[in-house]
Amino acid sequence: MDIAGCASIGVPVYKVNGLNSSLTCVCTNGYMEGDICDPVAFNENCRDTSRIYDQERCLDAACHFQEVDTPGIVRFFHALNVIGFFWCICFVSAFSEMVLAFTFATWYWTRQKSRLPFFVLTRGVTHTVYYHLGTLAFGSLIIAICKIIRAILEYVDHKLKRYDNGFTRAVLCCCRCFFWCLESFLKFLNRNAYIMCAIYGKNFCSSAKDAFSLLTRNVLRWKT
């Protein structure tokens, strides 16, 4: 099923259009302007009284398609797909960072470089898959939530551009700036947490705590 098919899942809704402006179209079943209608029932019960034959259809009014009434469960799955999309992107990025952290840590902590194992990168992939998928899932979920909030703010900002409201623009600008800074900080913290996790094999929270403590103890060196 293509994207258009997924977006049109639901029941089509038809409404009466043009009945108020028509002077000759009469509906015997009580249809009014804007009512939800059935095209077959409209053609059977609404006739043009000005025409010679009684069976002629209305020309000025019709039962037009308006929208697709999407069930709530479909909207839920659409939202779930969006969340999964952001989460998968962040997870792939976190996976690559963990593999590289394991590879560099193995090289750095091996004093005799001649004793380095072959295919260190492949070992990093297998080690990450076996031991650290939960760590990556949790860390990438945090970044994904920030990205989703930023996407929502961008959508709201796009919708409110038609309204020239300085206060609203200022509030949205502050929110966008705050979540951009928060996402950048969390990305930096996650990257260092993955490094600590690759070295010591701890869980995400412990690794993030150790990484944050290490950064705060060396904040001046890090800034320079």
Side-chain angles (χ1 to χ4, degrees), residues 40-128:
V40 177
F42 183 88
N43 293 331
E44 292 178 352
N45 296 279
C46 298
R47 300 298 176 184
D48 192 342
T49 57
S50 65
R51 308 185 71 175
I52 299 175
Y53 300 101
D54 187 55
Q55 299 298 322
E56 294 294 340
R57 298 178 181 178
C58 296
L59 298 179
D60 300 332
C63 182
H64 288 304
F65 171 79
Q66 295 292 325
E67 59 184 357
V68 176
D69 186 14
T70 305
I73 188 65
V74 176
R75 296 190 181 94
F76 170 76
F77 281 116
H78 282 327
L80 194 63
N81 285 333
V82 173
I83 295 174
F85 171 74
F86 281 99
W87 196 357
C88 286
I89 292 177
C90 297
F91 182 84
V92 171
S93 177
F95 187 88
S96 62
E97 291 178 355
M98 177 66 79
V99 172
L100 292 178
F102 178 85
T103 303
F104 294 141
T106 302
W107 179 87
Y108 183 82
W109 294 107
T110 302
R111 293 187 177 182
Q112 297 182 7
K113 305 305 179 184
S114 60
R115 300 182 59 182
L116 280 172
F118 291 100
F119 306 108
V120 181
L121 189 63
T122 305
R123 290 189 60 182
V125 173
T126 56
H127 186 84
T128 302

Side-chain angles (χ1 to χ4, degrees), residues 141-180:
L141 177 62
I142 297 175
I143 305 299
I145 292 174
C146 289
K147 286 185 176 294
I148 292 172
I149 295 175
R150 290 188 61 198
I152 293 174
L153 291 175
E154 292 292 339
Y155 175 78
V156 172
D157 181 66
H158 177 73
K159 288 296 183 180
L160 294 180
K161 280 185 177 179
R162 68 185 70 177
Y163 306 105
D164 190 12
N165 191 327
F167 176 76
T168 304
R169 290 201 307 269
V171 172
L172 284 175
C173 183
C174 292
C175 292
R176 292 165 61 190
C177 180
F178 170 77
F179 281 103
W180 179 83

Side-chain angles (χ1 to χ4, degrees), residues 98 132 134-140 142 189-190 192-194 196-197 200-214:
M98 177 66 79
H132 300 304
T135 298
L136 300 180
F138 184 70
S140 59
I142 297 175
L189 183 62
N190 279 15
N192 287 274
Y194 297 149
M196 300 296 288
C197 182
Y200 299 105
K202 297 181 180 180
N203 57 36
F204 177 81
C205 294
S206 299
S207 300
K209 180 181 177 181
D210 294 341
F212 185 76
S213 300
L214 182 63

Side-chain angles (χ1 to χ4, degrees), residues 22-44:
S22 177
L23 301 177
T24 58
C25 185
V26 177
C27 295
T28 58
N29 59 350
Y31 273 147
M32 303 294 292
E33 179 74 18
D35 288 349
I36 297 177
C37 59
D38 179 65
V40 177
F42 183 88
N43 293 331
E44 292 178 352

